Amino acid sequence: MANSNNNNSLYCDFRIAILVAALIFFYIQFRLFTTQSEYADRLTAAVESENHCTSQMRLLIDQISMQQSQIVSLQEETKRQQDKSAQLKALLHLLEKKGLQRLMDEVQVPVAAVVIMACNRADYLERTIESVFKHQKSVASKYPLFVSQDGTNSAVRDKALSYDRLTYMQHLDYEPIDPERPGELLAYYKIARHYKWALDELFYKHNFTRTDDMEISPDFFDYFEAAAALMDKDNFCSNSPGKNHDRSIMAASSWNDNGQKQFVYDAHALYRSDFFPGLGWMLTRTTWDELSPKWPKWLPIMKKSLLISVFFHKSFELFLDKESTYWDDWLRLKENHKGRQFIRPEVCRTYNFGEHGSSLGQFFSQYLEPIKMNDVQIDWKSMDLSYLMEDKYPKYFADMIRKAKPVRGADLVLKTTNIDGDVRIQYNDQPDFERIARQFGIFEEWKDGVPRTAYKGIVVFRFQNTKRVFLVGPNSLEQLGIENA
């Protein structure tokens, strides 16, 4: 009995052990299955990632291939363009060999481009353009016309664009203006900026500039072409062996401050002057290079109302400045002209009709309206202007002074009237000069120690048509080497 119970107990323990072992086996199988599933998921993700990378790589390879194809195409196009350029150069060379250069030589080479400086006066612009066209037609190929407008006035723009014989350009300046002194007109700064912009833009393209209220004489273009040749000769002489100084002529002008009808006679007469005329002036490119960096920020317009600039093909520039006494005065400073002189005519080659403008017409009726503008055609190319050269002019001018009869004392105008031929009148200082000038009605003004139009302190003007009157400074005769006069 006892053995039977023992056997049953062992059998139960055995079954319990088998059950436990089965549970452990099932647990281990479950864990293995779970682990295998996780590894399978990971493997699937890895395969998908590899496939994605492979796809991206193939896409990059395709893009690189396309870019390489484009590069090859661009290289081929560049080569074609280079071939075309080489062909055009070869064709041009061939045409030149066949006589193209000879044909080009028959066309007039531009001497100067005329640039009209405009702002907001369409009627003045039209009158100025018509005046230029009137005398420019026969020489249009030598003097192409431009209009430079400051600002956005639509009437001025439309007027300029209505002409097909000129080129229009526009100066737009939105930079704020900070006046240097209280009460200054902002227009002065705007004009200065416009002129600086236009001159710097056009000078190296050989241009000529003028404002919109100006008429010109029939020989205007020929006069400045002759002046350009004179200045070029002056430069050559100044740089010849034995000379170690700069050119002696700083500018040539179309203007005479004492050019009113009653004070002029000879349209052929030209003079040297130590006083910058301020209207219709021409200077060399090297001189502009010197002046441009220190160009003043503003151009006050107090007594006049115009500026002209000319840029000739041999690096000449001509200005006609009637819009700024302070701008004029800036060039009249000794630190700027440095002892160089100016060529001016006896009879003006320009006339200002702009009574209303930035200058508000100041001094117009007294000094500008009575100006005599030359109205005859003069063949300047046939004239010998060598007497104006630095080595000849002092003697030429001194000879005229020697021949003039001295007049002294009171009633100078009456005494001058009663004398036949040229006269000379000595003045002692600036107040004395102003007193005498006031009697005759010429400009009394001095700038930096020099009277208007003066040469060696001597101011010359006509009286009673042909008679020359010389107002002679205290040291003028000594400077000219005239003794016992």
Side-chain angles (χ1 to χ4, degrees):
M1 188 67 143
N3 290 331
S4 176
N5 289 335
N6 289 333
N7 289 333
N8 289 334
S9 176
L10 289 173
Y11 178 74
C12 288
D13 291 340
F14 177 75
R15 284 190 301 175
I16 292 172
I18 291 174
L19 179 60
V20 170
L23 291 174
I24 293 173
F25 174 79
F26 283 123
Y27 175 77
I28 291 174
Q29 290 298 317
F30 175 77
R31 293 295 300 171
L32 288 174
F33 177 77
T34 302
T35 302
Q36 287 176 352
S37 297
E38 290 178 355
Y39 279 118
D41 292 340
R42 292 179 182 178
L43 180 61
T44 301
V47 171
E48 290 177 354
S49 177
E50 181 181 1
N51 291 337
H52 178 72
C53 291
T54 302
S55 176
Q56 291 293 321
M57 184 175 297
R58 288 175 179 174
L59 181 61
L60 289 174
I61 292 173
D62 292 341
Q63 291 177 347
I64 292 173
S65 298
M66 291 177 61
Q67 291 177 352
Q68 287 177 338
S69 299
Q70 291 176 352
I71 292 173
V72 171
S73 299
L74 289 174
Q75 290 175 341
E76 292 176 351
E77 180 63 23
T78 301
K79 187 176 184 304
R80 284 194 296 270
Q81 293 296 333
Q82 290 175 344
D83 292 341
K84 288 182 181 179
S85 177
Q87 291 173 3
L88 289 174
K89 290 180 180 179
L91 179 60
L92 177 61
H93 184 65
L94 179 61
L95 290 174
E96 289 178 348
K97 284 186 176 180
K98 290 184 176 180
L100 179 61
Q101 190 64 47
R102 176 182 59 81
L103 295 176
M104 291 177 62
D105 290 341
E106 295 176 359
V107 180
Q108 288 181 313
V109 177
V111 174
V114 182
V115 182
I116 301 175
M117 310 287 282
C119 182
N120 57 7
R121 298 179 294 185
D123 54 340
Y124 281 14
L125 175 62
E126 180 180 18
R127 183 172 173 179
T128 302
I129 291 175
E130 294 299 331
S131 176
V132 172
F133 279 162
K134 179 180 178 181
H135 303 297
Q136 180 227 23
K137 186 174 181 180
S138 61
V139 291
S141 62
K142 297 172 68 176
Y143 299 93
L145 181 61
F146 293 75
V147 170
S148 176
Q149 180 187 0
D150 186 29
T152 59
N153 184 277
S154 59
V156 170
R157 182 184 65 250
D158 294 344
K159 178 59 63 177
L161 293 175
S162 68
Y163 294 90
D164 57 4
R165 292 168 52 192
L166 58 79
T167 300
Y168 171 79
M169 59 186 189
Q170 188 176 34
H171 174 240
L172 298 176
D173 182 10
Y174 300 108
E175 183 180 349
I177 296 174
D178 183 19
E180 294 182 354
R181 291 180 286 273
E184 291 177 344
L185 292 179
L186 300 184
Y188 300 160
Y189 291 86
K190 291 182 176 294
I191 291 171
R193 290 179 179 180
H194 184 201
Y195 288 170
K196 180 69 164 62
W197 174 82
L199 299 183
D200 282 340
E201 284 289 316
L202 298 173
F203 189 93
Y204 301 104
K205 298 177 183 178
H206 317 131
N207 299 319
F208 171 94
T209 334
R210 56 184 315 231
T211 55
D212 59 3
D213 54 357
M214 214 57 180
E215 290 182 348
I216 62 176
S217 66
D219 64 339
F220 179 84
F221 294 107
D222 290 342
Y223 168 75
F224 276 111
E225 190 168 355
L230 181 69
M231 295 176 69
D232 193 48
K233 183 178 180 181
D234 174 67
N235 182 49
F236 174 79
C237 293
S238 297
N239 292 318
S240 57
K243 297 279 187 176
N244 58 3
H245 53 77
D246 294 332
R247 63 174 74 234
S248 66
I249 301 174
M250 184 176 190
S253 175
S254 66
W255 188 257
N256 174 12
D257 282 304
N258 292 319
Q260 293 75 22
K261 296 178 179 67
Q262 66 272 28
F263 299 131
V264 299
Y265 172 75
D266 187 0
H268 296 79
L270 303 179
Y271 299 87
R272 288 181 79 113
S273 174
D274 298 307
F275 190 94
F276 171 60
L279 290 169
W281 46 286
M282 178 177 65
L283 64 149
T284 64
R285 172 174 171 172
T286 54
T287 304
W288 174 245
D289 289 340
E290 170 193 334
L291 297 176
S292 178
K294 54 182 181 179
W295 180 277
K297 291 182 179 180
W298 63 308
L299 301 178
I301 307 168
M302 306 225 6
K303 294 186 180 178
K304 306 183 183 99
S305 61
L306 179 65
L307 167 78
I308 291 186
S309 313
V310 180
F311 313 74
F312 278 82
H313 74 288
K314 290 187 177 180
S315 300
F316 287 99
E317 169 180 355
L318 179 143
F319 303 80
L320 196 139
D321 174 12
K322 293 170 50 182
E323 287 209 328
S324 55
T325 51
Y326 293 169
W327 158 244
D328 296 348
D329 296 344
W330 182 80
L331 261 186
R332 289 166 187 148
L333 296 176
K334 295 176 182 177
E335 64 186 66
N336 290 323
H337 67 72
K338 299 179 181 178
R340 290 166 289 188
Q341 295 170 338
F342 309 90
I343 302 298
R344 67 166 182 87
E346 179 172 313
V347 181
C348 293
R349 263 57 194 181
T350 50
Y351 180 78
N352 178 21
F353 56 80
E355 182 174 3
H356 303 289
S358 297
S359 64
L360 304 179
Q362 294 180 9
F363 299 91
F364 179 84
S365 60
Q366 182 178 358
Y367 294 111
L368 299 182
E369 189 174 21
I371 286 291
K372 165 67 176 177
M373 183 176 71
N374 179 49
D375 55 6
V376 297
Q377 182 65 49
I378 295 177
D379 184 9
W380 287 101
K381 296 178 182 178
S382 66
M383 293 188 63
D384 181 9
L385 302 180
S386 61
Y387 69 92
L388 291 165
M389 298 302 294
E390 183 184 22
D391 58 342
K392 295 182 179 180
Y393 190 76
K395 181 180 183 304
Y396 168 83
F397 195 73
D399 289 342
M400 289 193 291
I401 300 295
R402 289 189 182 94
K403 296 175 183 177
K405 300 175 182 178
V407 174
R408 301 180 179 88
D411 300 323
L412 294 174
V413 175
L414 178 62
K415 291 178 180 178
T416 300
T417 302
N418 294 330
I419 293 178
D420 293 331
D422 298 344
V423 303
R424 69 173 186 264
I425 301 171
Q426 189 90 27
Y427 66 87
N428 299 317
D429 49 28
Q430 182 172 345
D432 194 28
F433 172 88
E434 292 173 351
R435 177 184 62 83
I436 298 172
R438 195 176 305 117
Q439 294 180 35
F440 284 95
I442 66 169
F443 259 107
E444 307 170 26
E445 188 179 22
W446 287 40
K447 293 297 179 183
D448 207 12
V450 180
R452 282 187 179 270
T453 77
Y455 171 74
K456 306 293 186 184
I458 300 175
V459 172
V460 55
F461 58 93
R462 298 283 181 169
F463 186 74
Q464 294 178 314
N465 292 330
T466 62
K467 185 183 301 182
R468 287 190 182 95
V469 176
F470 299 92
L471 303 188
V472 182
N475 301 317
S476 299
L477 299 182
E478 181 181 351
Q479 292 184 55
L480 290 171
I482 301 175
E483 301 178 356
N484 303 322

